[in-house]
Amino acid sequence: MILLEIDMGKNKVEKQEIDASGPLEAAITIHKKYETWRLDPLSPEAPIVFGMGPFVGGKLYGVHRLIFVFKSPQTKTLHVSALGGAAYKAMGMGAQAVAIRGRAEKPTAVFIANGQVEFAEIKPSDAYNLIKELYETRRDFFIQNDARALVVGPASWTTYNGAIVSVDIDVKKGEFRLGAEDFAARGGPGTALAQGHNVVAIVVGGPKKPLYEKAADAEAINQLFRQRLGKPYLDVLNEKTVKYRYDPKIGTGGTFGVNYPHYRDLLPLFGYKSIYMPKEERIKHADLVLELFWKPFQVEVFEKAKSWYNCGEPCPVVCKKVWRGKKVDYESFHAAGPFIGNYLLQEAVPVVDEIDKLGLDAIEMGHVIAWLFDAVYTGLLKPEEVGLDDVPAFDPSSFDPVKDSRRNAKLALALVRNFVNNSTDVLALVAKHGIRKAARELERRYADRVRERGVRFRDLAVYAAYGAEGYMTPNFYWAPGLVAPMYVLGRYWTNYNPTFMSPEDFAKTSYERAVAEALVDNAGICRFHRGWAEPVLKELYQLVGARPPAALYREIAYYAKLSGAEPMPWESKRTRDLVSALAKELGSKEWRFEDYDDYYEWWIRFKEALDKLILA
């Protein structure tokens, strides 16, 4: 595949051909070449690599994700983040992947089209304004190349938690396309791009054409699907993506529409404090969430009008559901909603808007807000130490769903802004180091409060630890696999179901899911399309004449070991309780988790089983 290596310090571009099947394999090759396991994640010599899979530009749908691979300032090892739809515009950039190295002298925008690269100084701004400014100042480039911008927001310059933000523009009208906004966010890729390389924006475009001619051969694709799955391609696609488009059995669709009625009382509330509630109490809260948070969305998006869109590539799944002009996904709205003690949908919108404009990872920000809310509520912190003027309502048992939701949403909005502005010493500490390292420092700084309250800062958070300082918070599900000792978390590279089993069986199912997800990312395929893609992925590579990938997950695990960022045993009580409470909920008789040794045994047996599978 063709890769452009861009040295920002020298404004130098090198076009090279490397032996790689997709962006993930290309990134592993580049990181091995420069031995980046030795480097700080924000070193200018630690590249951020992005690219697309081999199936772009043809007759397959959902194959235009842009995949970012980087050494994460959060986990301290390789992380993978994906941005939907952007490869539909990036396919004309003249390479299948790009590696950004070196550090520009001043904040810089990079323009890539048809193998040509340009550089321009640009002033950082909020993400949405920055995209508009790029369009207004380089309108000709956008129109000639049907381009799309990938930008960082203010959070990438002041926190570990910066995302890469992209909103597609109708280049003729200069207007944002409804629903066509997405974020490569988990693990801090925006922070790596901004602080490591002084890059504010990357604008990609160029002539649209398939990388491989066979990807545009509809007859050959249909023949492949008939042989393997007994149906033509579109029939299989429609069957496998029904959840994300519209499921007539439950009368809704998309992650937000489906998850609340499907998971109900198993969805985490109040920073996972809901795991301590009896089932009947959780059901009462789930009913409130459905009535106040889910129903307003359901009525307007499915009953009154079908405001469904795609991510920027032509795709019949139209998974982007828009409520009053705002794209609504489960993860981002749960982060600004029930997870932080806000059950009112309309109150979540300004919080999500602010998170998006500032360029933050919404999932991580939900964890930060919930953790700091809980620390203030329990008395470990004073409100003014995080720039607040009130104490959050963070006890589910005494929660007023209307009054307290409004209070918490107002406080969350202030906290998000204060966090990005580093407004207090505590917030500056968290913004620089993240939850895990900040919790340790706060325990030292406020040791008297920890003794008085009988709880540590770390015990109010849920995260999986990596090495000495790295960590990752889970997606918003009550699922042990999301904190299990896997080498990449924060995505769905694990068994993410609300289930429990022996550590050996859990490791096997998690490893199988991780391998499958890595292959889908390497192919640049949207995971909403995984149902039809995974069974035929090997044959699709053969069809277009590309080489299938090698052992991707093994390479990532080996890199983590070299980086000193292997998974580490659970440090937080609430993380351990997430596992044991679900085991109890599901009636596990073998695992009762009566003391720390039980947790450690389950964790270590899982890790040993996983490592054996990786080496096998």
Side-chain angles (χ1 to χ4, degrees):
M1 65 185 284
I2 301 298
L3 177 136
L4 295 179
E5 188 169 324
I6 302 174
D7 188 327
M8 296 302 302
K10 300 175 181 177
N11 282 6
K12 178 184 174 184
V13 181
E14 180 186 347
K15 188 175 184 179
Q16 53 188 270
E17 189 164 348
I18 63 171
D19 182 19
S21 58
L24 182 47
E25 191 171 16
I28 291 169
T29 300
I30 295 296
H31 279 274
K32 286 169 70 175
K33 174 183 174 182
Y34 291 110
E35 298 184 349
T36 61
W37 56 80
R38 304 179 189 276
L39 302 175
D40 184 277
L42 300 182
S43 165
E45 299 311 307
I48 181 163
V49 180
F50 68 92
M52 66 200 86
F55 309 114
V56 296
K59 298 297 184 181
L60 293 166
Y61 297 105
V63 297
H64 295 92
R65 270 197 164 187
L66 210 55
I67 307 299
F68 291 80
V69 187
F70 55 100
K71 190 171 187 183
S72 166
Q74 185 173 345
T75 66
K76 315 301 182 185
T77 183
L78 281 187
H79 197 71
V80 184
S81 199
L83 198 154
Y88 186 69
K89 298 290 183 75
M91 76 172 92
M93 67 183 182
Q96 195 176 338
V98 173
I100 303 281
R101 290 183 67 236
R103 195 173 198 279
E105 185 178 343
K106 295 181 178 179
T108 299
V110 183
F111 297 82
I112 311 172
N114 214 14
Q116 302 300 308
V117 180
E118 302 173 38
F119 305 90
E121 288 181 28
I122 189 166
K123 186 179 179 181
S125 177
D126 92 51
Y128 292 166
N129 284 338
L130 185 56
I131 294 170
K132 290 176 183 176
E133 181 186 339
L134 285 163
Y135 174 80
E136 289 165 1
T137 57
R138 295 297 298 267
R139 190 170 184 269
D140 288 347
F141 182 90
F142 274 84
I143 291 174
Q144 289 168 12
N145 297 290
D146 193 19
R148 182 164 177 168
L150 318 163
V151 308
V152 302
S156 289
W157 306 96
T158 61
T159 82
Y160 68 95
N161 186 33
I164 294 172
V165 184
S166 182
V167 187
D168 197 16
I169 280 184
D170 182 324
V171 296
K172 293 182 179 178
K173 297 180 180 179
E175 298 173 354
F176 286 157
R177 294 184 184 274
L178 273 178
E181 57 181 303
D182 210 353
F183 307 80
R186 301 248 63 193
T191 298
L193 194 61
Q195 295 185 34
H197 306 289
N198 217 5
V199 172
V200 182
I202 303 167
V203 185
V204 292
K208 294 181 181 63
K209 57 182 180 181
L211 289 177
Y212 295 91
E213 288 184 11
K214 274 291 186 180
D217 189 336
E219 186 176 338
I221 291 169
N222 274 324
Q223 185 178 353
L224 187 160
F225 274 82
R226 285 193 182 97
Q227 288 174 349
R228 284 285 283 111
L229 302 175
K231 297 177 183 177
Y233 170 58
L234 282 179
D235 287 358
V236 178
L237 180 146
N238 288 329
E239 179 184 304
K240 297 296 185 180
T241 58
V242 65
K243 167 187 173 179
Y244 303 104
R245 183 176 61 256
Y246 175 75
D247 188 344
K249 293 178 182 177
I250 55 176
T252 190
T255 55
F256 187 97
V258 170
N259 280 0
Y260 287 105
H262 177 71
Y263 289 103
R264 292 182 64 85
D265 65 295
L266 291 177
L267 290 177
L269 314 173
F270 293 88
Y272 279 98
K273 289 174 96 167
S274 52
I275 65 175
Y276 303 113
M277 295 161 59
K279 187 175 182 66
E280 57 270 20
E281 286 299 312
R282 296 202 315 267
I283 290 172
K284 289 179 184 177
H285 279 264
D287 288 343
L288 286 170
V289 170
L290 283 168
E291 180 65 26
L292 300 172
F293 202 71
W294 176 82
K295 190 175 179 181
F297 165 87
Q298 175 69 13
V299 168
E300 291 201 21
V301 176
F302 289 94
E303 295 176 16
K304 289 185 177 179
K306 293 183 177 180
S307 48
W308 313 345
Y309 303 88
N310 56 48
C311 60
E313 68 162 287
C315 175
V317 178
V318 287
C319 65
K320 304 304 180 187
K321 316 304 183 189
V322 175
W323 185 77
R324 299 182 184 178
K326 182 65 182 175
K327 178 175 73 77
V328 176
D329 289 317
Y330 165 68
E331 302 276 16
S332 56
F333 270 76
H334 199 69
F339 193 74
I340 63 167
N342 166 31
Y343 289 5
L344 299 177
L345 179 65
Q346 66 271 25
E347 297 293 334
V349 172
V351 182
V352 176
D353 259 338
E354 196 69 13
I355 286 170
D356 291 349
K357 286 192 297 185
L358 293 172
L360 287 156
D361 170 21
I363 296 175
E364 176 69 9
M365 202 61 224
H367 280 278
V368 170
I369 294 168
W371 176 58
L372 292 173
F373 271 13
D374 213 358
V376 172
Y377 177 77
T378 58
L380 287 174
L381 289 173
K382 299 174 183 177
E384 60 268 24
E385 289 170 340
V386 288
L388 300 181
D389 59 5
D390 199 357
V391 176
F394 223 63
D395 180 357
S397 67
S398 59
F399 183 69
D400 183 312
V402 175
K403 183 181 70 174
D404 289 341
S405 288
R406 289 185 177 135
R407 184 208 301 189
N408 287 347
K410 177 186 173 186
L411 293 173
L413 187 59
L415 188 57
V416 169
R417 291 168 177 161
N418 293 341
F419 175 75
V420 173
N421 291 330
N422 294 185
S423 297
T424 70
D425 288 344
V426 169
L427 290 178
L429 176 71
V430 180
K432 182 177 181 180
H433 297 296
I435 292 171
R436 185 187 180 201
K437 188 174 180 180
R440 293 176 183 172
E441 171 58 24
L442 291 171
E443 287 165 11
R444 185 195 64 78
R445 190 180 295 183
Y446 300 117
D448 55 336
R449 299 181 192 176
V450 171
R451 283 193 300 271
E452 288 170 10
R453 301 296 172 182
V455 61
R456 300 178 301 176
F457 280 88
R458 73 186 73 179
D459 291 328
L460 303 180
V462 174
Y463 61 87
Y466 291 96
E469 296 182 357
Y471 77 98
M472 179 53 69
T473 49
N475 307 53
F476 298 125
Y477 298 89
W478 188 1
L482 293 174
V483 293
M486 300 293 291
Y487 288 90
V488 174
L489 286 172
R491 303 279 310 288
Y492 293 95
W493 290 32
T494 185
N495 179 343
Y496 52 88
N497 294 306
T499 187
F500 188 78
M501 59 191 81
S502 74
E504 290 77 16
D505 289 340
F506 218 131
K508 183 176 184 293
T509 60
S510 296
Y511 173 70
E512 289 169 351
R513 188 70 245 144
V515 168
E517 295 279 348
L519 291 171
V520 166
D521 274 344
N522 188 64
I525 296 175
C526 170
R527 68 180 311 275
F528 293 177
H529 289 259
R530 67 191 182 279
W532 64 257
E534 287 178 9
V536 298
L537 193 52
K538 183 178 179 181
E539 288 86 349
L540 285 173
Y541 274 102
Q542 293 169 347
L543 175 69
V544 301
R547 174 181 66 76
L552 300 172
Y553 196 76
R554 182 189 302 170
E555 293 281 4
I556 288 172
Y558 184 56
Y559 182 98
K561 293 175 187 289
L562 291 173
S563 295
E566 279 194 80
M568 300 296 287
W570 297 313
E571 299 175 341
S572 150
K573 182 179 184 299
R574 194 166 295 172
T575 305
R576 296 192 295 271
D577 290 346
L578 180 157
V579 177
S580 58
L582 189 65
K584 183 179 179 181
E585 175 87 8
L586 298 176
S588 172
K589 295 178 180 178
E590 181 183 357
W591 291 91
R592 298 185 183 277
F593 297 103
E594 293 174 347
D595 55 34
Y596 179 80
D597 288 346
D598 291 340
Y599 291 100
Y600 184 75
E601 181 187 350
W602 193 93
W603 189 96
I604 205 73
R605 281 172 54 181
F606 184 112
K607 175 74 162 49
E608 288 174 349
L610 175 68
D611 285 343
K612 286 179 182 177
L613 289 165
I614 290 171
L615 291 172

